Amino acid sequence: MSSESRGRRAGLRMLIASLVGLLAAAPTPAGEHWLTAEGAGGIAWGESTRPAKFQRRSRRFTLADDGFVGLGPSDAPHDIEVEYRNSVGERRFMRYVDERLVDAWLLRVGPIDDSYYSTHGKEQFRGAIVGPAEDGWVGVGDAISWQLGDRTVLHWRDRLTDTELLANRAIPGRRYSARRPEPLKPGGKSTAKIGISGELKKFVKPYSGMLSKCLDASNKPIRLEVVLRYDRLGRLSRVRVNTDTVVYEVERCVAGALIRTGAPPDLEGSFSVYRHQ
């Protein structure tokens, strides 16, 4: 073998070694190894093991696809947030029922790889649903859900920021059942009239019947103060509602009533609703 050939082969080996080194050193997506089809944080679904450090999840913090159905107060699941810090704004949540891991959520400012679920799962639905946002707000994002064996997986993307969420949940069982979200859409209309005032009055007036429907089951008289934000494409992306009495899932209902409204890019505004009876 000529010295020239040996030189070329040596150069090729060095190039391959360099590429292997670069691939080994390249940062892998943080988090996908944590939430997998088999479990979360190395804990398999159905196991009673818990992470080393965690705190109880704040009930004020909205997660996409976190509803549940139980027979009574004792059926409420135990939701925890894993104590974890990194540079990509990542948060990790786990749900235990009867001391066993049933569901988990991965929340990140940045992309989450869903390629495994899109190729191995059966698509259930896609559309806009509510999810996490800044304090006092409920976010609206675009989601896609798959069924994968005896579990469901949902990938949610916030409309206003780079935040994404991956939820892996158990198929409904006997005592604890996962209450799955449905894409936001306008509901029925109430025949009860409401008063609307504020800077967005003309904008939301055509949807007054659906907004009134959100208040059918609440104590009256009642007043709502609603603030809306739209993204750069003019899509509804944030809802904040203050009320003078308790209204069950009022943000979700208001978002559904107004989900098909189009607006100028980055619009933010407010309006008030009053219903006497």
Side-chain angles (χ1 to χ4, degrees), residues 77-274:
H78 184 212
D79 289 0
I80 64 173
E81 179 173 0
V82 180
E83 292 187 11
Y84 176 78
R85 296 181 181 273
N86 71 0
S87 61
V88 293
E90 186 170 303
R91 300 176 69 175
R92 302 169 173 184
F93 303 87
M94 306 169 80
R95 173 170 289 177
Y96 287 79
V97 175
D98 293 331
E99 303 299 324
R100 298 187 179 277
L101 178 65
V102 292
D103 305 326
W105 292 259
L106 169 65
L107 181 68
R108 180 187 301 153
V109 180
I112 292 177
D113 184 5
D114 65 8
S115 57
Y116 178 83
Y117 307 106
S118 62
T119 56
H120 291 75
K122 179 182 178 181
E123 185 175 324
Q124 296 178 303
F125 66 82
R126 60 176 66 208
I129 65 172
V130 299
E134 305 79 16
D135 287 346
W137 294 87
V138 169
V140 177
D142 297 299
I144 180 171
S145 178
W146 302 272
Q147 183 168 341
L148 190 70
D150 61 352
R151 303 193 62 81
T152 60
V153 177
L154 180 139
H155 188 184
W156 180 87
R157 296 179 175 89
D158 185 24
R159 288 181 170 181
L160 199 62
T161 70
D162 293 329
T163 300
E164 298 190 13
L165 178 145
L166 190 69
N168 192 320
R169 307 203 62 197
I171 293 290
R174 294 181 59 188
R175 191 169 74 85
Y176 165 78
S177 294
R179 180 166 64 86
R180 304 301 314 289
E182 294 183 357
L184 294 169
K185 59 182 179 181
K189 297 181 179 180
S190 176
T191 57
K193 293 184 177 181
I194 58 173
I196 301 178
S197 60
E199 59 186 318
L200 295 184
K201 175 181 177 179
K202 292 183 179 180
F203 182 71
V204 302
K205 186 69 174 178
Y207 309 92
S208 59
M210 288 176 283
L211 290 170
S212 181
K213 184 72 174 179
C214 295
L215 308 178
D216 276 354
S218 62
N219 294 327
K220 300 169 202 53
I222 183 173
R223 181 180 297 276
L224 305 183
E225 302 290 339
V226 182
V227 186
L228 306 176
R229 285 182 185 169
Y230 289 77
D231 68 5
R232 61 184 180 83
L233 299 178
R235 303 175 301 174
L236 182 65
S237 60
R238 290 290 186 275
V239 177
R240 187 174 69 202
V241 181
N242 294 318
T243 71
D244 55 7
T245 188
V246 177
V247 183
Y248 179 66
E249 292 193 335
V250 63
E251 291 90 356
R252 188 186 306 269
C253 189
V254 169
L258 302 176
I259 191 61
R260 294 179 183 170
T261 55
D266 302 316
L267 173 71
E268 180 174 346
S270 62
F271 65 95
S272 298
V273 170
Y274 179 77

Side-chain angles (χ1 to χ4, degrees), residues 1-12:
M1 182 183 296
S2 68
S3 59
E4 183 179 353
S5 297
R6 287 195 296 270
R8 283 199 299 267
R9 290 195 176 188
L12 181 59

